[in-house]
Amino acid sequence: FPSHDKQCSGVINIQAIGTLENATGGASSAQSISFSSTGGDIIQRANITATAANGTVALDNHTASGRSISRSAGTITANTVNLNAANQIGSEDAGATINRLQIAASNLSMTSSGHQYATGSQAMTAAASSTSGDIKIKTTTGSITIGTVNSIAGITTTGTVDLNAAAAINSSQSISATNLYLRAGTTIGSAGSRINTNASNLSAASAGDQFITDTNSSGVTFAAQTTNNGDVYASRILVAVTPDVTAPTPNPYFTTAPNATTTNYRDWE
């Protein structure tokens, strides 16, 4: 099934046994769109748009062993976008150039065994699960809220989670990863709704306040920075944060922790 372009006023549901591509004409539906393959990659080469207020776009090749969901052009637009791949979602080459899935949606879910890369053009609620890959989610406008989407709760991997929000990072669910990097244009969590994490290495950078609770029973290496006189409220940080602790590598955000030591809770300015 080399390629498919489709526009209609109802539901689009396309199934393939090999590689499935949407070519330059794109796909548009007034309701929902589903592309699935049982034996090949899914390649986005143009816009995929579900215009209904509750419209959903679903790309699924999770039964196609070793196969991925990738993008060369276009944006996926819907109320909810669900991506389910056997291997990887989006790509990152050896030069660290990321070819992320471009998402214009209020809700995003991703599931795969490998890496996941997505950029949202608006505030979104995100949920993701990977067996061992890195999960990298960015918004160019608006906040990222870690929540429940398509029955996936929170963000979980044994690899790295990298969240980069133009505004705030909020949470109603937890984040579990070996390495966790949080960047926010405004705040990370709030006094009434902390970011709950389970990580070995955790770094956080924001303009404003940060509210983080970690539950790793083995402890976490923690580094934090604010750029607009924000406070850092970190509780249950079980490994002492010492002056000038180098943040986890790779760490593109900052290099040292606050000049303080604690094993539990402290307000840093």
Side-chain angles (χ1 to χ4, degrees), residues 56-106:
T56 298
V57 170
L59 307 183
D60 187 347
N61 66 352
H62 75 279
T63 62
S65 179
R67 298 295 185 167
S68 298
I69 297 172
S70 63
R71 169 192 177 273
S72 64
T75 298
I76 304 175
T77 302
N79 179 64
T80 300
V81 173
N82 299 319
L83 306 173
N84 189 358
N87 183 19
Q88 186 163 304
I89 297 171
S91 63
E92 182 178 38
D93 66 20
T97 298
I98 298 175
N99 192 2
R100 298 171 180 260
L101 273 290
Q102 301 297 310
I103 308 295
S106 298

Side-chain angles (χ1 to χ4, degrees), residues 61-195:
N61 66 352
H62 75 279
T63 62
S65 179
R67 298 295 185 167
S68 298
I69 297 172
S70 63
R71 169 192 177 273
S72 64
T75 298
I76 304 175
T77 302
N79 179 64
T80 300
V81 173
N82 299 319
L83 306 173
N84 189 358
N87 183 19
Q88 186 163 304
I89 297 171
S91 63
E92 182 178 38
D93 66 20
T97 298
I98 298 175
N99 192 2
R100 298 171 180 260
L101 273 290
Q102 301 297 310
I103 308 295
S106 298
N107 304 288
L108 170 67
S109 75
M110 297 189 291
T111 306
S112 69
S113 63
H115 302 318
Q116 303 173 4
Y117 308 98
T119 294
S121 61
Q122 64 189 64
M124 66 164 62
T125 297
S129 175
S130 172
T131 305
S132 58
D134 297 340
I135 298 173
K136 299 185 179 183
I137 301 173
K138 177 181 179 180
T139 57
T140 57
T141 302
S143 301
I144 297 173
T145 299
I146 301 98
T148 300
V149 182
N150 194 35
S151 300
I152 301 170
I155 297 177
T156 304
T157 183
T158 57
T160 294
V161 170
D162 183 340
L163 302 183
N164 184 355
I169 295 177
N170 305 307
S171 179
S172 62
Q173 297 290 342
S174 62
I175 309 170
S176 179
T178 299
N179 304 304
L180 175 56
Y181 307 137
L182 303 175
R183 283 181 287 177
T186 57
T187 57
I188 297 175
S190 65
S193 182
R194 291 173 175 266
I195 305 297

Side-chain angles (χ1 to χ4, degrees), residues 4-7 12 14 20-29 31-35 42-51 56-59 69-71 73-81 83 101-105:
H4 195 91
D5 301 330
K6 185 69 175 177
Q7 291 79 39
I12 298 175
I14 299 173
L20 178 59
E21 305 178 30
N22 79 305
T24 55
S28 178
S29 168
Q31 296 185 36
S32 296
I33 298 173
S34 174
F35 289 170
I42 296 177
I43 305 172
Q44 181 196 0
R45 300 194 184 279
N47 292 335
I48 302 174
T49 305
T51 60
T56 298
V57 170
L59 307 183
I69 297 172
S70 63
R71 169 192 177 273
T75 298
I76 304 175
T77 302
N79 179 64
T80 300
V81 173
L83 306 173
L101 273 290
Q102 301 297 310
I103 308 295

